[in-house]
Structure formats: C-alpha cells, structure tokens
Amino acid sequence: MTTTEPSPEAVEEERPIGFGRLLRKEDPRLIRGMGKFVDDIQLPGMLHLAILRSPMAHARIVSIDTSAAQALPKVVAVITGADLAEKGLAWMPTLSNDVQAVLATDKVRFQHQEVAFVVAEDRYSARDALELIDVEYERLDPVIDVRTALDADVPVIRDDLEGKTDNHIFDWETGDEAATDAVFDSADVVVSEEIIYPRVHPAPMETCGCIADFERVAGKLTLWCTSQAPHAHRTVYALVTGLPEHKIRLIAPDIGGGFGNKVPIYPGYVCAIVASLVIGKPVKWMEDRTENLVSTGFARDYVMKADIAATKEGKILAVRTDVLADHGAFNGVAAPVKYPAGFFGVFTGSYDLEAAYAKMTAVYTNKAPGGVAYACSFRITEAVYLVERIVDCLAYELGMDPAELRLKNLLKPEQFPYSTKTGWVYDSGNYEPALRKAMEMAGYDELRREQAEKRERGELMGIGVSFFTEAVGAGPRKDMDILGLGMADGCELRIHPTGKAVIRLSVKSQGQGHETTFAQIVAEEIGIPPEDIEVLEGDTDNTPFGLGTYGSRSTPVSGAAAALVTRKVRDKAQIIASGMLEVSVADLEWNKGSFSVKGDPSKSVTIQDIAMRAHGAGDLPEGIEGGLEAQICYNPENLTYPFGAYICVVDVDPGTAVVKVRRFIAVDDCGTQINPMIIEGQVHGGLTDGVGMATMQMIAFDEDGNCLSGSLMDYLIPTALEVPDWETGYTVTPSPHHPIGAKGIGESATVGSPPAVVNAIVDALKPYGVRHADMPLTPSRVWEAMQGNHTPPI
Amino acid sequence: MQVPAPFEYERATSVEHAIALRERLGEEARFIAGGHSLLPMMKLRLANPEYLIDINDLSELFHISEESGEIRIGAMTRHRDLLDSELLAEHFPIFRDAERVIADPVVRNRGTLGGSLCQADPSEDLSAVCTAVDASCVIRSTSGERVVSMSDFHVGPYETAVGDAEMLTEIRIPLKAHAGSAYEKVERRAGDWAVVSAGAAVWMDGDVIADGRVGLAAVGPNTTSIGPVSDALRGVAPSEDLYRRVGEIAAANCSPQTDQRGTAAYKSHLALELTRRSLRRAVARAQGQEA
Ligand SMILES: Cc1cc2nc3c(=O)[nH]c(=O)nc-3n(C[C@H](O)[C@H](O)[C@H](O)COP(=O)(O)OP(=O)(O)OC[C@H]3O[C@@H](n4cnc5c(N)ncnc54)[C@H](O)[C@@H]3O)c2cc1C
C-alpha cells in the first residue's frame, strides 16, 4: 500500500467520466428551491397532526381530558396513550432493543415527551386544539445529573420494565484490564483527567416529519418520511404495526440534513401511521424547530475519566477510561447491536499502545432519549476527543510539544493492517506524512515562534493539534446488525438500450451528493458519462434492501456495491462485445467506455453499442440472456479507516475571554477520492460543526429537567463569521479491501475538529496554568477556566 | 413550522388611526413594527394578542434628521437605516458600532428602533445606546404628546412607560459639542443577543470630560443610566485609571444573572471590561483620535 498526493487531473478536470471534480448533479434542483422535501408534499384530503408534549420531566399522568379539543371545529381526532394502548401501540421498540413510549400512558419521563396528538384539517387548528387538552400531572422528582443516576435513593425512571429497581442500562468493557493496570503501575508518567463531551444535537435544517397514507382498499401504507434508513425503517414499521412488509412503501424524498438525527424512529412517525390507519386519510406530521431540538435524537453525553501512561521520554504506553453514559429516558442509541457503546473501542486512537482498557456504564435520566451518531461514526467523536485531549494533557505534563509527542507515537506504515489492543483492525494508514503536511501548511514552527513572542506581551494565542483515525463503513454482517438486520447493502444497475443507465441504491442522501458520487463510481467503471446515469434512492418499492446512510457508510458499503455491480455488468458487456467483434473474451481490451481488440484499436464497440445489442434483435453469444443489468449485495469484509491531521490556531482576548478561530488546517486521507469537490464540502461542513461543538453548543437542562436549548437562539449554530477560511489538504492511502480503495469522508471532520479547537484554546490558556477545560468553550467558560474555577458542563 | 394562535390584523393609515385603534381594542391589541420580536413570541405562543395593528405604512415614523439642536429618529426607523446613516455616524458613531453587532442583515432589514425600545428586553442593544447618548422618547396618545427620559421610559423587563393607548413615535438626542461615543458587545456568536454590552458617550470640555454616560445591556432587569458613573466622569481628565475605576463602578451597579450566556461573575467582569473599552474609544473619538 502506498500513499500519494491526489492526482492533479482529478482535482482540476471539470467534466470527468469517472472520478474528478464534477459539479453536483443535484445542485441545480436544490439551490433553485426546486427540491422536494416531505413538507412540500400535499396530498388530496391530507390531514395534519400535532403532538401535545409534557411540560414536566418526570410526572405521573393523573388524568387527560380531551373533550374541549375534540369540540374545536376542524378537529378530526384526539388520541391519547390510553387509546394507543387499546390497540397495543402505546410502546415501540428502539434501535437498541429497549422500548419507548409512543404516547405516555403511565408517566412522562422527559420534558416534551409525547402525551397526546390531535389530527385536524389544517395545521393551525391542530396546534390550537393542543391548548385545549387538559392533562393533570403529579410531579415526581426527576433524575437530571447523570452522576447521581445510580444513587440508592433516586427515583426509578423505568418502572415500566419488569423488575427494574434502578436506572442502570448496561455495563460494557473492552480491552485487557489487568494488562493495562500493570502497564500503568510501572509507568514513569501517569496523567488523569475527567473529560466531558456534553450533550449536543444534530439540528438538521429540515426537522423530522412524515406523511402517512394508508389506502384501505389496497391495504397499503405509503410513508413519505425524513428517513436516513428507508429499508430498515420499513421493516421496523412492519414489526410495530403488524402490516405485512410488502404492503409498506417508504419514500424518503429530498432530505435537508440528517447527521444521524433521522436514523431513529420517533413517536411522531408512528402517531401519523396510526392516525392514517384509523382515519383512512393521509396524515402529515412535521416537527417544529423546538420539537426537533428537545425531543429527537441527541448525541454524546459522555462523562469520561481518562488516564494515560507514558515513559518520561514521551512514549505512550497505555490509555484507560471509565465512562458514564447518559442515554436519557429510553435507550434509543443507534448502533449495531453488539456495540452498545458504538465504536468507542477505537479510543486507542492513532498510536501504538502496549495496552488499553475501557469500561462504561450507561444510565437512564429524565432527558430526551437518543444517543445517535451525530456525524460521529458511532461514538468515534467521543473516542477521538478522549484520546486527543488526554494526549495533550500528557504533552502539558511532559513539557513536550503536542505535535512532536504525536509524531513520536503515531503508528508506522509498516504496521498496517494494524490490530489495536481493543480488537479493531485498521486497514491502511500512513500517518506521519499527513501530520507533517498539516504542519508544513500551517507553518508550525513559525506559529510557535509567534506564540512565544505574543506570550511575552501578554497576548493569548493557541495552537491545537489533533490526529484522528476514523472507523466507518459498518459493517461486516457477521459482527454488525441493527435489530437483527445485517449491515450489507444491495445495489442494482440497469443499462438502458441507448446506453443510459439507472443505479438503484438502499442508502439515502441527505445533502451529501449521492446523485453525483454514485454516478461517478458507475462512470469510472463503465465509461458512461455521469450525466447519463440516474441515481435512484429512498423508495423502498424501487430499490434493493440495505441499511441506509449514517456512520459515513454510504461510500464504503454502497459505493463498493456500486463498483462491483458495475463490474458485473461490464463482464457481461465484454461477452456481448466478443460476439459483436467475433473474437474471444480474452482478446478484448477495456478502454473505459469501449472494448477493442487487443493490438487492433480500430476494431472496437462502445458500451452504448453493446447496450443496444443487449436489448436488440441481433444474436447474442451462446447462453447469454438479453438485457444489460445486474444486482448484488455487498458485505464489507472490514470497516475502512480514514484518518487525518488537524491544526487549529486561535486568539483569545485576555480581557473578555472571547475566542477567535484564526486558522484551521485540515489534512484528510479518505483513500481514493471520487469527487474531490464533494470531499472538500464534507470537510468544510464537519469542521464548522466542530467549531460549533467546541465553542458554543450544548443541550442544557436545569435541575428540574427543563430543556434550556429549545430554539436556535439558545442552541447556537456557527455561521461563516465564526469560522476561518478552511485550509485543506489531502493524502491518498487507499483501503486495501474496498473495490475502489475509497474510505468515506462524511464524518472525519466532525470527529477530528473538536479536539483540535479545544486543544488550541487550552494551549492559549497555558499562561494561566490551564490543562483542561470542557466544551462548550463559550467566552464565559473560557473566562472561568482563566480564573481557575472551571465547572463541568452538566 | 411554529404557528401562532388566531388573531385579527389591521393596517393603520396614520399615527392617529393607529392610536385610535389601539384605544378602542385595548390591551389585547399590539402594534406590529418589524415583527422580529413580536412574531417569534407569537409563534412560540408566549404572546397571544387578539389584534395586530400594523404600523409599517406610517411614513411619518421613518426619519433620521437634525432639528432644533437635536437628532430626531422616527420610531419605525429600521436597524438597517440606523446602520447606514451618515448623520448618525458623524454625531453618534455608537449607533453604527451597535448596529454592526445587532442580529443579522435579515433581522436588521425589518426590525425597528421603536420596536426594540418598546420590547424592552433586558439584553436589547438600542436601549443601552439610547441611554448612553441621553435620548428622550416621544410618546403620543389621543390627548397629545409627552417626552420622557430613558430612565423613565424603562419600567421593568419587557415593560415601558408607553401605555395601552399610546405609541412611541420618536426618540430625540440632544446635540452637544465635543461628543464621542462607542459601543462594545460580547456575544457567543455573530447575531446572538449580548452576553453583556456597554455603550459610552462623553462630551469633552478641553482636556476634561464635561459629561459622560454609560448604558449597559444584559446585566439586570433594566437598562438605565448609572448615576455614579456620570458623577465619576464629570470634570475629570480621561485616563486608563479613570476607565478602570468607572468600569468598577459600572460592575458594582449591575445585577446580572447566571444563564446559558454566562455566569453572573463573568458578566460583572464584562461590565467592567466593556465599560472601560467603550469609554476609551468614546474619549478617543471625542478627541478626534479615532473615526
Ligand atoms: C434572530 C434575532 C436576533 C436578534 N438579535 C438582536 C440583538 O443582537 N440585539 C438586539 O438588540 N436585538 C436583537 N433582536 C431583536 C430585533 O432587534 C428586533 O427587531 C427588535 O427588538 C424589535 O423590533 P421590531 O421592530 O421587530 O418590533 P416588533 O417585534 O414589531 O415589536 C416589538 C414590541 O414593541 C411594540 N411596538 C413596536 N413599535 C412600537 C411603537 N412605535 N410604539 C409602541 N409599541 C411598539 C410591539 O407591539 C411589540 O410589543 C434580534 C431578533 C432576532 C429575530
């Protein structure tokens, strides 16, 4: 395996047949406002659903009176948990084998939990009727601080679970505890820190919603839905509603951002389905902004005790961590079943360790459920943040430069494939050149000189380094499933008679540019221009089964499927070409778009010629059927492991503690590059997310469990004014097991950037003796750290 | 989509018409100016007025002019026009400082001076600006006009001296010689409400400060001028030491609360730091040292 620079033509060519900087095919539609999102869809006779939510975090429902709401004009139905319970639909499974209330029957377990819903002829009437539902609650003490959730005297949140006497969900561990302790016991240097990754929210621009349309005569349910995983969702709905799976069609139209928020199944979807089943008309439910922020899948919420052991020369020996995970009121984590902590096991990072051990306890609290992959590849954001922060703490204690410390410990190229101490097999990597490249782009030594001068003058400048290894492309079906569904992806390619094509995939773009990327993969393999290839996703009746788009899995899994299905078609095309050119298959040469006879390039047929022959009236070689299409299901043999080196430069105003992110240098390696422009866009978005999490975002609660972050005035999204001009660079180290060597880039920057920003801010505060400070590093929290009284964000 | 409760709507054709409607419809009616405070509250159903009286057609409320030794600004003047006004920039650059950091262009295109003052949000910026420059507010009713100072205008958080059947029509700022003013704000993100902000205005008499005022936002229930600040500034030559002392007075005279924007201790610290910075710049401007 070798690492190269991205090829210059891939970067410059404008209309490539295959890989390169192709303008996004979906953009003319999306940027002209011609996209079609769930809320754009209007069906004849469609009704509107609005949800009544609990004002309290923990309370017993004493009574619900819906009569006044029922009496409001235009109201069609008012449904409570008791009504659903009669149909056996008051509870539904979560993605983690827990159950979640669709509508509360016994008690509410988080503020804004779903209590009742109204269906009305228009959205306004539905909303007005909510005001008229009278619910009497009996307040119960809430459990809000995760650190007290397992105390003896706290209320049991999940008394619906038989025999449940505490708020414990699971214990999980990985690595070798004894071996790790032994390394720690004899190490020269041990550094410990409590590192908190606060609760954050994916906050996609489009909130979640659906239209359920049950046609009674056909017995068929069509669900237009903001779903990142249409096929998986259809199966779950079949299990929940009892409708046969072939009588459910799920259509995910254009989606305005997902980031993991649209992976879980929310009560609102089920309510809309039930309403349409009962009423027999289409029913639309669209969350408002507050509902999205306060009730749907949050992310992170890990309290991590981290220890690192090293020699006094700075050789890192072991990492150990003890994590307390807040999962909210229902365990709705989206992760493969055998991985309750997601892929947190890669907390060993990019370093060659002698030992590692992690243990985790997950608990219920009276907060919204979830724990989704917010652009984190199943908890790798937490893992990378942990290791990159504690490595910086070690650098602080050793008085070593953090870049130098990392260079000393990064895995070497000859160690790949590398088995980590927690059992992950990194497929390929060449780490040092990536970090060196970032340092060169940054002018690292010059920056350190500038920092030293500024410190002399009392100015605060910080330089933060992070190095991350991602693990994406879940996953091998022997290890990975969600609710029993293996994580392999189907894919189907049809070449039409005129040589145009349609590829059908199980994944679902939420803005990532699938219509372009997948067309380019097919184009690269078969030589049909990308604009002649239609990419079809998001309709379960018209695409093969697969598990959807999250965890950066589309390119590693469905991208591989797309390449392989195209090769299968090309193999058939070659046989047809051999008939057309009257030579044996072995005598043909592939020239990206045509087959020619070896040694006689004038004798050739294009893929378009072959397609017409395949569908035409002429003879085909013996045993070959007409048509030119194929279908496969790709089961990845391993995950892919993208990596990158990030450097962030900040200035902190010593008087106000305001942080300015001055520069950010990102060197990414996602293996083979399909469309460098799309990669660049994914990196820009993820870096912006990272600045948001590091400096301004947190879903906060008061001690009564009221959510304090229910609007975009309270939960801040960074804008162009908070971020610098991104300086990006790339190296290319292909994945050895992926058919085109691609690794996935969707979440690298979200994973890698928060530690770089935090490390930079903490570095700026070095003159104040600050070694660690938790996100979000708002001016107030930075100032607290400067005063030496930093408080945990809980 | 967040949807408001039902309401009725009428577009006023003159100030008299608007006030008459308001008088007739009583406390269930609200004027709607830019709508950038009122509409979000209605969508969240924190405000449920039964009637909206739209005052966006009242051309007599849109102006920035110099008259009788005062700058007069109509209540419907939009943030955008305050930002762009050369007249204001010349006499009171504090407006441009503040408008650069109030909300975002979309909000500034609609939101108004009158709406900002009448909303009386403790974090609102223009109240601090108007307090610093010693503005007075012209309030009209069917029985005539009265003029109140900023300290009388603010009654409490979200509460002003404007009665149910009254309208704020104009604010007036006296023009005095050798003025300088400046605004400083700390926000968590561009377009966010202030963690704390401070506006300062000074009027010089040779080498000493003849008069000076400071207005702070987001540090207590009300934006009011701080008497001891003006006492400390009057007749004193500007110095770093003075700015710090006055900053300390400002910090001691506010009562910030801990919230998601910051701790009370941090906000007190900012009251000091931003008072100091805005004074420093206001004096520099008064002395012609900084544009
Ligand atoms: C995203 C966002 C960010 C913002 N950030 C900031 C910020 O950083 N700093 C800041 O200061 N503000 C900020 N604002 C508020 C913005 O400046 C508002 O426009 C302003 O506060 C209200 O002005 P308006 O014209 O929109 O008033 P409206 O919303 O129309 O009215 C507000 C209230 O004043 C009353 N009213 C309006 N005009 C009169 C009048 N002439 N007489 C009597 N009563 C009247 C109305 O009845 C209503 O009760 C922000 C707003 C938004 C939406």
Side-chain angles (χ1 to χ4, degrees):
Chain A
M1 176 227 17
T2 53
T3 298
T4 55
E5 293 284 311
S7 89
E9 33 326 347
V11 176
E12 271 149 38
E13 201 185 332
E14 295 245 323
R15 290 176 66 81
I17 298 182
F19 302 161
R21 267 187 98 86
L22 181 70
L23 287 181
R24 299 196 342 159
K25 291 171 62 186
E26 46 271 83
D27 281 351
R29 175 177 88 245
L30 295 174
I31 63 183
R32 288 178 201 173
M34 303 302 281
K36 194 172 187 187
F37 299 86
V38 169
D39 208 17
D40 294 323
I41 297 169
Q42 307 291 342
L43 300 179
M46 188 173 78
L47 303 173
H48 296 264
L49 185 149
I51 295 176
L52 181 73
R53 295 175 181 277
S54 160
M56 281 181 231
H58 201 192
R60 199 160 295 288
I61 297 177
V62 179
S63 65
I64 306 185
D65 180 356
T66 61
S67 51
Q70 302 265 18
L72 193 75
K74 297 190 183 171
V75 167
V76 177
V78 183
I79 307 285
T80 64
D83 300 326
L84 290 188
E86 273 173 30
K87 298 184 187 310
L89 290 171
W91 295 84
M92 63 176 191
T94 70
L95 296 179
S96 307
N97 289 318
D98 193 357
V99 289
Q100 173 172 359
V102 177
L103 294 178
T105 47
D106 47 348
K107 61 178 191 177
V108 291
R109 292 175 171 83
F110 66 95
Q111 193 201 24
H112 302 300
Q113 188 181 337
E114 299 78 3
V115 173
F117 69 79
V118 172
V119 181
E121 286 169 27
D122 61 55
R123 196 173 275 205
Y124 288 84
S125 305
R127 177 67 183 78
D128 292 345
L130 296 184
E131 310 279 326
L132 302 174
I133 301 175
D134 192 12
V135 186
E136 192 186 327
Y137 295 99
E138 179 195 321
R139 186 186 179 281
L140 301 169
D141 284 337
V143 181
I144 302 304
D145 184 339
V146 63
R147 295 165 301 185
T148 64
L150 294 178
D151 289 358
D153 52 346
V154 301
V156 178
I157 298 168
R158 295 301 303 280
D159 48 0
D160 59 296
L161 300 174
E162 218 173 290
K164 193 83 190 143
T165 55
D166 59 19
N167 295 316
H168 180 264
I169 306 178
F170 65 79
D171 287 322
W172 169 87
E173 62 173 354
T174 186
D176 186 332
E177 183 175 18
T180 307
D181 289 350
V183 174
F184 269 89
D185 289 345
S186 59
D188 303 340
V189 186
V190 171
V191 180
S192 302
E193 191 68 71
E194 184 175 83
I195 296 171
I196 296 175
Y197 209 133
R199 178 176 281 229
V200 294
H201 197 279
M205 190 161 13
E206 179 204 33
T207 58
C208 300
C210 69
I211 304 169
D213 183 13
F214 182 66
E215 294 166 66
R216 279 184 177 157
V217 176
K220 183 154 184 172
L221 173 73
T222 304
L223 188 73
W224 284 266
C225 187
T226 51
S227 170
Q228 296 181 221
H231 290 275
H233 281 186
R234 181 190 55 190
T235 305
V236 176
Y237 290 126
L239 298 173
V240 173
T241 62
L243 283 176
E245 201 168 356
H246 68 296
K247 292 291 187 187
I248 301 176
R249 177 182 184 187
L250 197 146
I251 302 174
D254 281 327
I255 294 186
F259 314 105
N261 189 242
K262 291 165 181 168
V263 173
I265 290 188
Y266 296 118
Y269 302 145
V270 178
C271 292
I273 292 172
V274 172
S276 187
L277 288 176
V278 172
I279 300 167
K281 286 191 172 180
V283 176
K284 182 188 274 185
W285 168 68
M286 219 45 232
E287 283 173 346
D288 65 30
R289 177 63 58 197
T290 300
E291 291 183 288
N292 180 255
L293 285 169
V294 300
S295 72
T296 62
F298 70 91
R300 327 289 190 249
D301 223 343
Y302 274 13
V303 178
M304 308 180 278
K305 289 204 178 73
D307 309 313
I308 190 166
T311 66
K312 55 186 183 305
E313 294 77 29
K315 170 82 188 77
I316 303 172
L317 304 171
V319 177
R320 187 170 61 189
T321 181
D322 185 350
V323 182
L324 185 57
D326 186 341
H327 283 222
F330 306 100
N331 184 19
V333 168
V337 171
K338 287 182 207 154
Y339 299 81
F343 299 170
F344 187 77
V346 302
F347 71 94
T348 55
S350 313
Y351 310 109
D352 188 12
L353 305 182
E354 285 179 11
Y357 176 70
K359 75 168 192 262
M360 178 181 298
T361 299
V363 299
Y364 292 118
T365 59
N366 287 112
K367 300 181 195 166
V372 299
Y374 166 21
C376 75
S377 317
F378 302 120
R379 305 288 194 181
I380 291 177
T381 320
E382 291 90 322
V384 165
Y385 184 66
L386 171 90
V387 62
E388 290 307 291
R389 199 71 275 292
I390 197 70
V391 164
D392 255 39
C393 293
L394 175 65
Y396 182 102
E397 291 303 330
L398 292 172
M400 254 177 103
D401 181 277
E404 189 194 320
L405 177 60
R406 286 178 172 83
L407 284 169
K408 200 180 174 108
N409 288 284
L410 287 175
L411 291 166
K412 304 273 177 291
E414 59 276 12
Q415 290 177 282
F416 292 87
Y418 175 78
S419 295
T420 74
K421 291 292 177 284
T422 48
W424 301 77
V425 183
Y426 294 2
D427 59 346
S428 64
N430 196 357
Y431 292 172
E432 186 177 331
L435 182 49
R436 294 243 181 245
K437 182 168 186 170
M439 291 169 72
E440 194 182 307
M441 285 167 64
Y444 189 78
D445 297 337
E446 183 48 42
L447 285 172
R448 286 287 175 205
R449 263 194 297 280
E450 181 191 344
Q451 180 185 43
E453 284 170 20
K454 289 202 157 142
R455 276 189 184 153
E456 291 284 302
R457 296 199 297 267
E459 292 171 40
L460 302 177
M461 166 185 170
I463 305 158
V465 181
S466 79
F467 197 100
F468 66 90
T469 300
E470 261 265 68
V472 303
R477 66 194 309 165
K478 66 177 182 343
D479 297 325
M480 294 180 191
D481 69 272
I482 290 186
L483 291 178
L485 302 171
M487 300 187 80
D489 281 1
C491 180
E492 187 210 281
L493 176 67
R494 288 187 198 168
I495 314 291
H496 302 312
T498 56
K500 315 291 182 194
V502 56
I503 179 154
R504 297 164 193 270
L505 298 138
S506 58
V507 285
K508 175 62 210 171
S509 188
Q510 306 124 42
Q512 296 94 328
H514 285 188
E515 286 165 54
T516 310
T517 296
F518 287 109
Q520 288 186 273
I521 294 174
V522 175
E524 178 76 20
E525 296 292 336
I526 206 157
I528 296 174
E531 47 278 23
D532 289 350
I533 301 163
E534 187 72 2
V535 175
L536 225 154
E537 324 179 307
D539 177 349
T540 54
D541 270 8
N542 286 305
T543 54
F545 187 87
L547 269 242
T549 293
Y550 42 84
S552 296
R553 65 186 297 283
S554 295
T555 296
V557 186
S558 273
L564 293 180
V565 80
T566 313
R567 286 175 198 174
K568 205 167 162 184
V569 167
R570 195 177 70 202
D571 287 345
K572 179 172 179 182
Q574 185 166 10
I575 297 172
I576 297 173
S578 77
M580 293 167 77
L581 294 169
E582 296 174 334
V583 292
S584 75
V585 164
D587 287 335
L588 288 174
E589 204 166 53
W590 174 243
N591 324 299
K592 205 185 197 182
S594 62
F595 283 104
S596 60
V597 176
K598 279 182 189 160
D600 185 0
S602 69
K603 286 180 77 180
S604 82
V605 284
T606 65
I607 189 74
Q608 289 80 7
D609 299 334
I610 300 168
M612 188 52 89
R613 172 62 72 99
H615 292 89
D619 280 348
L620 292 174
E622 182 93 21
I624 292 296
E625 292 175 357
L628 194 55
E629 53 195 63
Q631 174 156 9
I632 66 156
C633 182
Y634 176 75
N635 176 28
E637 107 185 28
N638 186 8
L639 301 177
T640 63
Y641 293 81
F643 57 91
Y646 290 175
I647 296 175
C648 176
V649 184
V650 301
D651 297 301
V652 179
D653 183 324
T656 60
V658 169
V659 174
K660 173 91 195 144
V661 179
R662 188 206 309 173
R663 288 181 68 197
F664 199 106
I665 296 90
V667 172
D668 271 282
D669 191 319
C670 58
T672 304
Q673 303 204 332
I674 297 160
N675 185 326
M677 188 184 68
I678 288 182
I679 290 170
E680 182 93 358
Q682 294 285 297
V683 172
H684 284 196
L687 296 177
T688 306
D689 276 347
V691 170
M693 287 180 273
T695 65
M696 61 184 82
Q697 294 176 337
M698 173 173 170
I699 296 285
F701 296 85
D702 67 15
E703 62 260 34
D704 291 324
N706 296 309
C707 181
L708 303 176
S709 312
S711 83
L712 295 183
M713 237 164 65
D714 306 295
Y715 189 77
L716 301 177
I717 308 283
T719 72
L721 293 175
E722 280 72 45
V723 300
D725 282 337
W726 306 116
E727 299 169 58
T728 54
Y730 302 90
T731 59
V732 176
T733 311
S735 165
H737 64 85
H738 187 280
I740 57 177
K743 286 185 169 183
I745 188 69
E747 299 159 312
S748 286
T750 326
V751 164
S753 57
V757 179
V758 173
N759 287 349
I761 297 171
V762 170
D763 184 51
L765 303 185
K766 201 169 190 179
Y768 292 80
V770 176
R771 193 181 78 179
H772 175 70
D774 286 312
M775 299 183 282
L777 287 167
T778 59
S780 183
R781 295 178 55 78
V782 171
W783 186 75
E784 276 188 336
M786 289 162 71
Q787 311 306 306
N789 58 0
H790 186 68
T791 52
I794 293 183
Chain B
M1 184 177 70
Q2 271 145 336
V3 294
F7 61 89
E8 287 180 36
Y9 170 91
E10 182 150 353
R11 229 174 150 85
T13 53
S14 68
V15 172
E16 290 67 34
H17 181 214
I19 294 171
L21 280 171
R22 191 74 213 268
E23 196 172 53
R24 183 155 61 79
L25 297 170
E27 60 177 21
E28 297 305 330
R30 293 277 195 100
F31 294 130
I32 178 153
H36 270 291
S37 290
L38 187 53
L39 292 180
M41 290 199 307
M42 287 170 63
K43 288 174 150 198
L44 294 168
R45 300 198 178 207
L46 297 171
N48 298 300
E50 287 174 20
Y51 308 95
L52 285 189
I53 304 163
D54 191 331
I55 57 174
N56 279 273
D57 286 345
L58 309 187
S59 52
E60 64 192 284
L61 301 181
F62 292 83
H63 57 266
I64 306 175
S65 59
E66 186 179 339
E67 216 180 305
S68 325
E70 291 175 329
I71 296 285
R72 298 186 167 183
I73 312 177
M76 278 301 296
T77 305
R78 311 228 186 247
H79 290 299
R80 169 72 197 265
D81 299 315
L82 297 172
L83 176 66
D84 288 347
S85 166
E86 291 305 331
L87 182 66
L88 273 181
E90 183 194 331
H91 293 289
F92 296 107
I94 185 174
F95 276 95
R96 189 165 284 179
D97 289 350
E99 287 296 355
R100 285 197 170 123
V101 291
I102 290 177
D104 50 51
V106 181
V107 174
R108 292 201 292 258
N109 283 339
R110 295 291 305 170
T112 65
L113 170 62
S116 296
L117 297 190
C118 291
Q119 181 65 24
D121 186 307
S123 313
E124 191 273 311
D125 288 295
L126 288 179
S127 295
V129 170
C130 289
T131 297
V133 298
D134 200 14
S136 45
C137 305
V138 181
I139 300 172
R140 206 190 292 178
S141 67
T142 43
S143 54
E145 240 176 42
R146 58 195 178 107
V147 181
V148 302
S149 70
M150 280 304 294
S151 359
D152 291 336
F153 183 79
H154 276 290
V155 176
Y158 308 100
E159 236 189 305
T160 69
V162 183
D164 274 349
E166 289 187 315
M167 177 190 274
L168 173 68
T169 53
E170 192 174 77
I171 73 133
R172 296 178 181 165
I173 314 166
L175 280 171
K176 290 185 271 175
H178 311 298
S181 59
Y183 199 69
E184 295 278 346
K185 173 174 174 176
V186 165
E187 51 191 2
R188 293 172 302 172
R189 190 205 63 186
D192 187 24
W193 293 80
V195 177
V196 169
S197 40
V202 294
W203 293 269
M204 302 297 289
D205 178 5
D207 287 340
V208 299
I209 297 171
D211 197 4
R213 297 169 61 85
V214 167
L216 300 174
V219 289
N222 276 320
T223 304
T224 51
S225 65
I226 301 163
V229 160
S230 297
D231 296 344
L233 288 170
R234 266 182 223 123
V236 181
S239 68
E240 278 303 317
D241 188 47
L242 176 69
Y243 305 149
R244 159 161 281 282
R245 253 188 307 121
V246 172
E248 283 165 1
I249 296 172
N253 279 278
C254 63
S255 49
Q257 304 278 314
T258 294
D259 60 16
Q260 291 300 297
R261 292 204 166 79
T263 60
Y266 174 62
K267 291 180 185 182
S268 291
H269 165 77
L270 282 185
L272 186 162
E273 182 65 26
L274 298 184
T275 296
R276 192 168 137 184
R277 290 182 185 196
S278 60
L279 270 175
R280 187 186 292 139
R281 258 168 85 209
V283 168
R285 282 170 170 167
Q287 295 174 331
Q289 287 161 3
E290 194 210 331

